[in-house]
Amino acid sequence: MIDSQRIAALADAPVPPQKHLIGGREQAARDAAELEVLSPRNGTLLTTVADGCAADVDDAVRAARQSFESGAWANRAPAERKKILMRIAELIDEHAYELAVLGVRDNGTEISMALKAEPGSAAATFRYYGEAVDKIGGEVAPTGPANIGLVLRQPVGVVGCIVPWNFPMMIGAWKIAPALAVGNSVVVKPSETASLSLLRLAQLALEAGLPDGVLNVVTGKGAVVGEALGLHDDVDIIAFTGSGFVGRKLLGYSAHSNLKHVYLELGGKSPNIVFADAPDMDKAASAAVNGIFRNSGQVCVAGSRLLVERSIHRDFVARVRQRTEQLRVGDPLDAATDVGAINSEEQLAKNLQFVRIASEGGAECVSGGERILQESGGYYMSPAIFDNVASDMQIAREEVFGPVLSVMPFDDEDEAIRIANATDYGLAAGVWTANLSRAHRMLQRVRSGVVHVNCYGGTDITVPLGGMKQSGNGYDKSLHALDKYTALKTGWIAL
Ligand code: NAD
């Protein structure tokens, strides 16, 4: 049960100007520059954050390197690191409402989703990797009697994390927690339109006993702070979540600096495929609606392409449309809101441009697609459904990252696979069928990092999230994520 009184008490609390967190202390940008933070709820000035520059990134990387070399964290007994990660999780839980409301005022996600997905997931993530700390180790290779081959697993050193605005704490924690668990020091660059909750989370980590300099946060513009981090010669790896456009830049920065490893969690154009033998059409329709419209479609795994077998197409679209038109779009801090605000005016304009081009290109808009609630000063849009979208249309190919659904009918399983895979992306998919053999065939043939069967979007920290094709490389979540943050070293000992 959501506590609306607690939300109301926090909704308009003043937020002081925010600075970087470097070496355990707050630090203004070297050139004293600040960025205004506008709330997507109502377009008003929420606060300012430090508008970082390359010199600030240098300071943060130096602090991270010094803390790493000092061994204050990396050389601590795993059981002690575990205690601190578990304490961070506790503090996140204790401050869940404060963190969630601050995050929503900054990024616009509806509070019902933010409470679960942001502090809820972040705490679970710190707990999961905290519990893993003293249960993972190296190996002794089966080399024969003349030698011993040791495979040591060591922290990589300084990890740069660059995260987007849709779920800053959850995605931040997916990178920060496993990186810290194995002893690295970290520099985080949050999105310029969603920095506040991650800054607060980092302060809580200090309060939990994380040594100074082990977790640093530098705020500011991607093209300045993100670029400086990507180009820095003393950063050992970059763990990034965001667009393919920036992902490509990061690969370039690596090539032009120290060849650091770059791990990319990128976008998607995920197909949600409904066969005529789906076991429960109502459940499938509700999941299709939630799968694209929660958090205004600003979800990497959003089911933005709805593939429907032709024999049920008309009926199924009617069900989806009816549910969509019942969604309450509005103030993200209202617990009854289903769909909150678009993150920024710029993103709203981008979404509306997609809608305009689709309509002009002949796609059939059967619902929504307009700016609404403009009198609030906030950035709101009615969820849009386009029917009979052709595979070559822009809304079938490009990630909108907004509340726009493209419906595409198909005739048989082979055609469903062909349409599903006709994309540069490969992040997520859904399949609805009561036919077990077909479910397994689809699982094998759809090229994406996750395939949901008779559900859409369920997940857990225990399973990896990663993309195929241009949806990225590497994995967040699960024990597999630890591979990014550790280097294997061989010890070869002659006996
Ligand atoms: P974005 O790529 O614009 O920005 C992501 C981060 O990169 C931000 O912190 C930004 O400041 C920074 N950045 C921007 N320019 C940079 C540069 N030149 N160098 C270094 N850093 C730079 O993405 P966004 O709009 O914040 O987020 C939306 C995207 O993120 C969508 O494509 C979405 O699918 C993707 N995403 C993917 C996942 C996943 O797990 N695969 C999860 C969430 C979001």
Side-chain angles (χ1 to χ4, degrees):
M1 188 53 184
I2 294 179
D3 185 342
S4 293
Q5 277 183 348
R6 277 180 88 180
I7 295 169
L10 293 161
D12 299 307
V15 183
Q18 301 289 300
K19 298 180 175 155
H20 307 310
L21 192 66
I22 296 177
R25 275 173 294 281
E26 292 185 9
Q27 182 177 311
R30 287 277 197 120
D31 56 8
E34 293 180 338
L35 267 184
E36 290 193 338
V37 177
L38 301 182
S39 177
R41 280 180 77 204
N42 49 23
T44 57
L45 182 68
L46 183 53
T47 186
T48 57
V49 293
D51 188 4
C53 56
D56 301 332
V57 173
D58 266 345
D59 289 345
V61 174
R62 197 173 313 112
R65 179 59 64 190
Q66 277 169 4
S67 72
F68 182 70
E69 298 299 340
S70 76
W73 178 246
N75 293 344
R76 269 214 195 166
E80 286 180 34
R81 291 207 302 270
K82 167 185 184 164
K83 216 185 272 174
I84 291 178
L85 293 179
M86 300 303 260
R87 181 65 190 138
I88 296 174
E90 270 172 22
L91 286 176
I92 293 172
D93 278 341
E94 284 166 23
H95 291 78
Y97 271 83
E98 176 202 339
L99 287 163
V101 172
L102 185 64
V104 167
R105 294 172 75 193
D106 200 8
N107 84 339
T109 303
E110 54 275 3
I111 188 75
S112 54
M113 175 172 243
L115 271 168
K116 256 192 268 164
E118 284 281 88
S121 293
T125 301
F126 274 94
R127 206 162 272 128
Y128 177 81
Y129 290 107
E131 283 165 349
V133 167
D134 54 2
K135 298 174 190 65
I136 46 169
E139 300 156 20
V140 181
T143 52
N147 302 283
I148 291 183
L150 296 178
V151 184
L152 308 180
R153 202 178 250 279
Q154 299 190 314
V156 293
V158 174
V159 173
C161 302
I162 303 179
V163 295
W165 41 260
N166 58 337
F167 294 105
M169 270 186 283
M170 176 175 78
I171 295 172
W174 287 349
K175 299 180 191 310
I176 297 166
L180 293 180
V182 289
N184 297 289
S185 291
V186 174
V187 178
V188 181
K189 187 256 173 267
S191 166
E192 45 273 62
T193 60
S195 309
L196 304 180
S197 55
L198 257 184
L199 273 168
R200 183 72 185 111
L201 187 151
Q203 286 165 352
L204 293 175
L206 284 180
E207 205 179 309
L210 200 65
D212 291 351
V214 174
L215 177 59
N216 308 275
V217 184
V218 182
T219 55
K221 299 188 198 82
V224 179
V225 175
E227 179 179 287
L229 199 57
L231 281 170
H232 207 291
D233 281 321
D234 209 20
V235 170
D236 295 294
I237 75 157
I238 290 283
F240 172 75
T241 295
S243 63
F245 176 77
V246 175
R248 283 183 165 78
K249 283 187 180 279
L250 288 165
L251 292 170
Y253 301 152
S254 166
H256 288 103
S257 57
N258 60 345
L259 294 176
K260 58 181 72 66
H261 291 198
V262 176
Y263 295 99
L264 304 173
E265 298 289 335
L266 307 177
K269 193 74 200 174
S270 300
N272 185 15
I273 308 164
V274 185
F275 287 94
D277 64 0
D280 182 339
M281 287 299 168
D282 284 323
K283 187 176 167 201
S286 297
V289 170
N290 289 331
I292 177 63
F293 295 132
R294 292 307 301 273
N295 200 13
S296 300
Q298 303 168 136
V299 179
C300 56
V301 294
S304 53
R305 291 184 299 148
L306 179 62
L307 277 53
V308 187
E309 192 160 359
R310 203 173 299 277
S311 59
I312 56 159
H313 168 227
R314 194 184 287 258
D315 168 69
F316 196 76
V317 171
R319 289 175 200 247
V320 167
R321 180 178 173 181
Q322 188 222 355
R323 284 165 175 75
T324 299
E325 288 174 356
Q326 282 169 356
L327 292 173
R328 277 182 63 165
V329 183
D331 183 357
L333 283 181
D334 183 340
T337 291
D338 298 307
V339 180
I342 308 293
N343 177 253
S344 64
E345 193 148 31
E346 187 193 357
Q347 185 65 30
L348 173 61
K350 250 162 97 178
N351 294 346
L352 295 173
Q353 165 95 333
F354 268 103
V355 167
R356 190 179 55 70
I357 293 174
S359 301
E360 286 170 7
E364 192 186 321
C365 187
V366 295
S367 191
E370 282 159 1
R371 181 169 191 175
I372 55 171
L373 303 173
Q374 207 162 345
E375 66 286 0
S376 67
Y379 319 133
Y380 299 93
M381 176 176 166
S382 52
I385 303 174
F386 282 91
D387 199 3
N388 293 310
V389 172
S391 287
D392 59 352
M393 286 180 175
Q394 186 199 33
I395 45 163
R397 290 182 290 106
E398 292 181 23
E399 183 186 43
V400 179
F401 215 60
V404 179
L405 178 66
S406 298
V407 182
M408 309 169 83
F410 65 86
D411 286 311
D412 57 25
E413 199 175 305
D414 282 339
E415 191 184 18
I417 291 284
R418 191 177 51 70
I419 298 173
N421 287 339
T423 167
D424 291 335
Y425 294 107
L427 194 55
V431 176
W432 297 81
T433 178
N435 179 330
L436 186 62
S437 304
R438 167 180 280 161
H440 279 280
R441 283 195 299 273
M442 298 296 287
L443 192 50
Q444 290 182 20
R445 294 177 70 194
V446 176
R447 293 201 63 208
S448 63
V450 54
V451 178
H452 302 99
V453 178
N454 294 331
C455 59
Y456 195 91
T459 187
D460 190 73
I461 186 64
T462 54
V463 290
L465 174 67
M468 292 186 177
K469 301 195 274 184
Q470 291 181 33
S471 287
N473 58 33
Y475 301 94
D476 274 339
K477 301 166 60 202
S478 82
L479 295 181
H480 296 285
L482 294 169
D483 291 345
K484 287 197 273 204
Y485 305 108
T486 48
L488 298 183
K489 180 190 277 181
T490 297
W492 188 256
I493 304 168
L495 295 180

